[in-house]
Amino acid sequence: MNYDREILFILNEAGPKGLSIRKITMHVFNKCNGLFDVISLEDVHRYVASYLIKNSKAADSVIERTGVRGVYRLNLENTSNQLQFDFKDDVIGEKNCVKAEDDMSLSLF
């Protein structure tokens, strides 16, 4: 089960307003349900609800409650425990980069 990753992805896409447990459950159900891997909506709802409640209890957790009952979002205030990669196309050094005008193709003759 890869529900944890899907829950975090959906909450990231939701933004600072967050989403309700029902909507998160539907997103996870639609993403993980397949033709040969049939899952129950009740099982997904039970797992999503317990995961959100369990992971929102601590103050330094990644998931937090909003002011509305049953709505959760990512805790972006606490960045000390989170690791986020930022991939950029910056040129670090000229030595490591292959120039566009250099022809690196092999000769057939």
Side-chain angles (χ1 to χ4, degrees):
M1 284 191 253
N2 229 359
Y3 298 154
D4 301 346
R5 179 186 288 168
E6 295 299 326
I7 292 169
L8 292 175
F9 178 76
I10 291 164
L11 287 174
N12 186 32
E13 293 291 319
K17 292 178 104 177
L19 279 177
S20 67
I21 294 176
R22 186 179 64 82
K23 289 184 179 181
I24 296 170
T25 301
M26 291 307 296
H27 281 285
V28 171
F29 178 76
N30 289 334
K31 183 76 173 182
C32 297
N33 197 15
L35 182 63
F36 298 109
D37 187 22
V38 179
I39 54 176
S40 170
L41 182 62
E42 292 82 21
D43 293 340
V44 174
H45 179 72
R46 192 175 312 118
Y47 182 83
V48 168
S50 66
Y51 178 82
L52 291 173
I53 291 169
K54 179 178 69 172
N55 288 321
S56 66
K57 296 257 183 203
D60 61 344
S61 67
V62 178
I63 299 170
E64 68 178 354
R65 290 189 199 193
T66 61
V68 182
R69 181 178 179 260
V71 177
Y72 293 88
R73 66 178 171 209
L74 288 181
N75 184 4
L76 300 178
E77 300 290 324
N78 185 12
T79 58
S80 63
N81 292 338
Q82 299 175 19
L83 177 63
Q84 186 176 32
F85 293 106
D86 188 18
F87 296 103
K88 294 182 181 178
D89 291 335
D90 293 338
V91 177
I92 296 171
E94 294 288 328
K95 297 175 187 175
N96 296 337
C97 296
V98 177
K99 295 181 182 177
E101 61 267 0
D102 291 342
D103 188 17
M104 299 298 289
S105 63
L106 297 174
S107 175
L108 295 176
F109 300 103

